[in-house]
Amino acid sequence: MPSREIQRLRSHVHDLEQRLQQHRDTATASLATPPISFAPSPTSTATKLDPRNERGSPKKYWEGIYTSTAQSQQTQYYGPASSFYFIGRMSSHLAVALQQPHADHHMQPNSASRTFATPTSPQRGSLDDVAVTADGPTAADTLTGIQEDYFLELFWQSYHCVLQIMDEAEFKEHYKSLYVAPGRPRKPSALVDIVLALCMQYGVAFVPRSSAQMQVDVDGNDATIAGRWLYRRSQTLLSAELESPSIRTLQCHILAVYYLCNASFQNMAHSTLAVAIRTAQILGLHLEPPENMPRQTKELRKRLWWTLFTVESKTCMKLGRPMSAQISEATCSLPADDHELALLSRSSFASSEDNVTWHTYNLQNTKLILAAHAVYLAFHDQCAEILAATDGTTLYGDAQALETCAQLLSTGME
């Protein structure tokens, strides 16, 4: 190599070394320890750490209603999006129009939750009488193997199509393993018990009732609380799994939410939903499944998480309460619905079109709930801004504010 070229390279290297040293000197100077000052900050630490100030000034949300909707006279909170808020406003309007007091509970639908303290209460009574439910099932309550097979078949014909959280073949293998000896009852299983309880609700609802049974009051024979002793045994078995939950534990919690919601125990369903969300987070379902898992297992975990998210979204929107599962903290992608996955699921559902499988409903329903929840949040944020600007508690006294919110809702749904 010519000496002139070597000299040029050496000069260039020397120049780079000088620049690097200057950069190091500057970085060292910037890391010098600043003088310690004990002067009070103009903004207090408490204000800086207040989570309500993360997105500006605290929001002023639309106030809900406190009303008694259960067997007890204790009141519960329901937001302005709930049907109970609507019933409360109707009751207030009638009280003014008719010039006589009109209690909210007179307009609320009659249900098991207004008659029984819990789904497992054997008779009407207060919360003090619930202790008697610790007894096991009677001989009349116990199902035979043939009866269990009948009700379990209802699950695959109904709930399994829209609630895709279980592997049909795996469940049937688990159920078969519970029979250890011919002629002997099966071993208890929390998952089998809650599936049976849910299907007894569904199946008994189709049983014709005589005119004498068509009574206004809800009694122990009502279809909404059919299978209640199976629900109770399932919950008892689940109590031993709280510290070390499994996928089956989560499946039980989700099915229990449906059972309680069908029985009109909305607050119990909401509480069980919170336990299900924490269980899913303990299992790591809110995160993308590990790559070393089989595809069928990964997709089941995705369906479980997004089913849980959609159930909570619908429940919280229906009750007007905040959510526990924050989508910003979840990295789990949406489940797939291709033909290869449908074959792996081992369920006997035929595909109707080239791009449609029995998993397609689950995916499209999830997308629909995500869109509806986004509109719901945007609508209530807009309401909060208007209430903060007007220092109000409700929008019904401001016609312009109502019109603004209605336009936002209409635009978001397009």
Side-chain angles (χ1 to χ4, degrees):
M1 182 180 292
S3 58
R4 183 178 299 177
E5 183 67 17
I6 294 175
Q7 185 63 30
R8 189 185 67 80
L9 291 174
R10 286 177 177 174
S11 176
H12 184 61
V13 169
H14 180 69
D15 182 52
L16 291 175
E17 289 176 346
Q18 286 185 329
R19 291 183 183 179
L20 179 60
Q21 186 60 41
Q22 291 176 356
H23 178 73
R24 288 174 177 172
D25 294 341
T26 303
T28 302
S30 65
L31 292 176
T33 303
I36 299 176
S37 175
F38 294 96
S41 172
T43 304
S44 67
T45 303
T47 303
K48 290 181 179 179
L49 298 179
D50 190 343
R52 298 174 300 173
N53 294 325
E54 289 181 358
R55 298 180 181 178
S57 59
K59 294 182 178 180
K60 187 170 184 178
Y61 283 104
W62 193 344
E63 292 184 0
I65 186 175
Y66 290 88
T67 184
S68 174
T69 60
Q71 196 264 353
S72 169
Q73 293 303 310
Q74 175 64 42
T75 60
Q76 299 87 38
Y77 172 80
Y78 296 92
S82 66
S83 59
F84 293 109
Y85 183 86
F86 174 74
I87 291 174
R89 282 194 53 80
M90 289 290 293
S91 179
S92 300
H93 173 75
L94 290 175
V96 174
L98 301 178
Q99 296 183 354
Q100 61 182 5
H102 203 88
D104 292 353
H105 67 271
H106 289 158
M107 297 186 62
Q108 292 171 4
N110 197 15
S111 61
S113 64
R114 298 187 60 80
T115 305
F116 300 95
T118 70
T120 58
S121 298
Q123 57 188 4
R124 303 184 186 198
S126 64
L127 291 173
D128 297 333
D129 302 324
V130 176
V132 299
T133 63
D135 298 333
T138 63
D141 290 328
T142 306
L143 298 177
T144 65
I146 294 176
Q147 289 173 326
E148 287 193 350
D149 290 340
Y150 168 78
F151 283 115
L152 288 176
E153 191 60 30
L154 287 180
F155 182 83
W156 310 116
Q157 298 172 6
S158 56
Y159 281 100
H160 186 53
C161 306
V162 296
L163 192 58
Q164 302 170 15
I165 61 172
M166 291 197 301
D167 184 291
E168 183 177 352
E170 182 180 328
F171 177 88
K172 290 181 176 179
E173 291 172 4
H174 168 65
Y175 178 66
K176 188 183 298 183
S177 69
L178 300 176
Y179 287 93
V180 294
R184 298 287 302 276
R186 66 170 175 85
K187 295 187 295 183
S189 166
L191 183 58
V192 173
D193 284 351
I194 191 60
V195 171
L196 283 170
L198 195 61
C199 292
M200 286 185 71
Q201 269 186 335
Y202 178 74
V204 174
F206 290 101
V207 177
R209 304 183 69 182
S210 64
S211 57
Q213 293 175 316
M214 298 297 288
Q215 53 190 3
V216 177
D217 293 336
V218 177
D219 58 15
N221 296 320
D222 195 78
T224 59
I225 52 175
R228 55 190 178 275
W229 75 264
L230 286 162
Y231 162 80
R232 181 177 70 225
R233 188 169 72 173
S234 174
Q235 294 300 300
T236 302
L237 294 170
L238 281 178
S239 63
E241 302 180 20
L242 294 177
E243 184 59 29
S244 55
S246 63
I247 291 295
R248 283 182 186 171
T249 309
L250 177 60
Q251 291 166 337
C252 290
H253 288 315
I254 295 175
L255 295 173
V257 171
Y258 275 81
Y259 180 86
L260 292 168
C261 190
N262 292 342
S264 76
F265 289 88
Q266 304 296 334
N267 294 316
M268 288 183 68
H270 197 193
S271 298
T272 304
L273 191 55
V275 176
I277 292 168
R278 290 294 175 259
T279 302
Q281 292 171 335
I282 290 171
L283 296 172
L285 265 63
H286 61 298
L287 305 175
E288 190 70 13
E291 289 296 330
N292 58 355
M293 280 186 176
R295 190 188 179 206
Q296 185 179 356
T297 304
K298 290 194 293 186
E299 292 298 329
L300 176 62
R301 290 171 65 91
K302 291 180 181 180
R303 288 198 301 273
L304 277 164
W305 171 255
W306 286 110
T307 295
L308 191 57
F309 183 86
T310 56
V311 172
E312 200 205 12
S313 295
K314 291 192 292 185
T315 301
C316 292
M317 288 189 289
K318 178 176 65 175
L319 300 178
R321 295 171 182 166
M323 287 188 62
S324 299
Q326 299 299 324
I327 194 171
S328 60
E329 299 176 357
T331 59
C332 180
S333 59
L334 292 176
D337 66 337
D338 56 84
H339 285 277
E340 179 186 357
L341 179 63
L343 292 174
L344 289 173
S345 65
R346 299 182 289 177
S347 290
S348 54
F349 292 106
S351 299
S352 59
E353 297 180 12
D354 293 340
N355 298 323
V356 176
T357 68
W358 76 284
H359 286 306
T360 302
Y361 169 83
N362 180 73
L363 176 61
Q364 298 304 321
N365 180 64
T366 302
K367 291 180 178 180
L368 175 63
I369 297 301
L370 284 170
H373 188 248
V375 174
Y376 174 86
L377 292 178
F379 173 76
H380 281 275
D381 283 345
Q382 179 69 37
C383 293
E385 292 178 5
I386 294 175
L387 291 174
T390 59
D391 195 27
T393 59
T394 179
L395 298 177
Y396 288 109
D398 189 337
Q400 182 59 42
L402 282 173
E403 183 62 27
T404 301
C405 291
Q407 291 177 356
L408 173 68
L409 191 60
S410 176
T411 303
M413 295 176 63
E414 292 178 354

